[in-house]
Amino acid sequence: MILTWLYVPGDRPDVVAKALCSGADAVIVDLEDAVSASRKEYARAATAERLAERPAVPVFVRVNALDSPWAGADLTALTGLHGLAGLRLPKITAPEQIAAVADRTGGVALHAMLESALGVERAYEIARAHPALRGLSLGESDLGADLGISAEAGLDWPRSRVVIAARAAGLAPPAQSVFPDIRDLEALAVSCTRGRALGFLGRAAIHPRQLPVIERAYLPGPAEVTAAQEIV
């Protein structure tokens, strides 16, 4: 079970190597937001080289948005690599996008990121788009900007929407989006507690120091373990 997902920039192979030893359940190599346009090709090549062999933990890659100049080359370079656990597709707004990527990548596990009002509105259609789709998640920074949301509470409805869509489509519960303040671990813990109450399972992180907080929030507590034992 994956509870912690650690994002790392694809143009920093040294950081990727450290992430693989960080204790995260899975690593997400980012070719999109974390990489400037001038370093996209280098990030892609470095990531493909890393994933030529299977790493110690599952490695997913967030490719560039499908309508960007780099997405096609990302998909070509990554398809068929032994070390690739799956692709995370940003800014998805339609089920046809999932089907097109699935046809091109030949069964690679796909993960749709919903980052706009339109994407959230079509969450269930996207969740059922293709058998290769294994999960949904929110890109809360872009979604918040699209909706004009300034407080985290304003994301409760979109969060519930994606949890329900995933469940209705038979997908695993989604993981929470990243918490941007890497210093405020107390606020991270509160946010994780809220996310768990809404039906999320695990969370993405942008710094290793966030991983223990996320893990503690999502592992079963003593009362839950006792209740499960009583049921058994």
Side-chain angles (χ1 to χ4, degrees):
M1 179 173 60
I2 297 177
L3 295 181
T4 54
W5 310 68
L6 181 60
Y7 271 100
V8 286
D11 63 342
R12 294 286 306 279
D14 57 327
V15 177
V16 174
K18 292 178 181 178
L20 293 172
C21 303
S22 66
D25 296 326
V27 170
I28 303 171
V29 178
D30 189 14
L31 303 183
E32 193 207 15
D33 288 345
V35 180
S36 65
S38 63
R39 290 177 64 81
K40 296 287 189 185
E41 291 186 12
Y42 172 71
R44 182 189 307 122
T47 301
E49 181 178 357
R50 166 70 63 179
L51 296 181
E53 301 295 335
R54 195 177 302 278
V57 299
V59 174
F60 299 78
V61 178
R62 179 166 73 173
V63 298
N64 287 283
L66 299 181
D67 60 354
S68 74
W70 307 286
D74 291 345
L75 297 177
T76 297
L78 296 168
T79 299
L81 295 177
H82 295 296
L84 179 68
L87 295 172
R88 295 175 74 88
L89 308 178
K91 299 176 175 63
I92 294 298
T93 59
E96 292 80 11
Q97 293 172 297
I98 302 300
V101 173
D103 290 343
R104 178 167 181 169
T105 56
V108 172
L110 304 178
H111 190 109
M113 302 184 69
L114 311 181
E115 305 183 57
S116 66
L118 183 58
V120 172
E121 186 67 18
R122 294 174 172 170
Y124 180 59
E125 299 169 58
I126 292 168
R128 298 180 68 249
H130 195 279
L133 187 75
R134 307 296 170 77
L136 298 177
S137 67
L138 291 177
E140 292 186 351
S141 179
D142 284 347
L143 178 61
D146 187 39
L147 297 175
I149 291 172
S150 58
E152 187 174 2
L155 291 168
D156 279 358
W157 187 87
R159 287 170 172 169
S160 293
R161 178 77 176 93
V162 75
V163 168
I164 291 169
R167 176 63 176 172
L171 301 176
Q176 277 188 278
S177 183
V178 299
F179 190 82
D181 189 342
I182 64 173
R183 295 173 298 277
D184 196 343
L185 299 183
E186 183 176 344
L188 170 62
V190 171
S191 179
C192 288
T193 299
R194 178 62 175 162
R196 186 174 182 183
L198 289 171
F200 286 89
L201 181 64
R203 188 165 201 163
I206 54 175
H207 194 282
R209 69 169 61 120
Q210 296 177 315
L211 299 176
V213 178
I214 295 169
E215 188 173 70
R216 283 195 300 270
Y218 276 98
L219 283 175
E224 294 171 290
V225 172
T226 300
Q229 289 173 336
E230 289 175 353
I231 291 172
V232 171

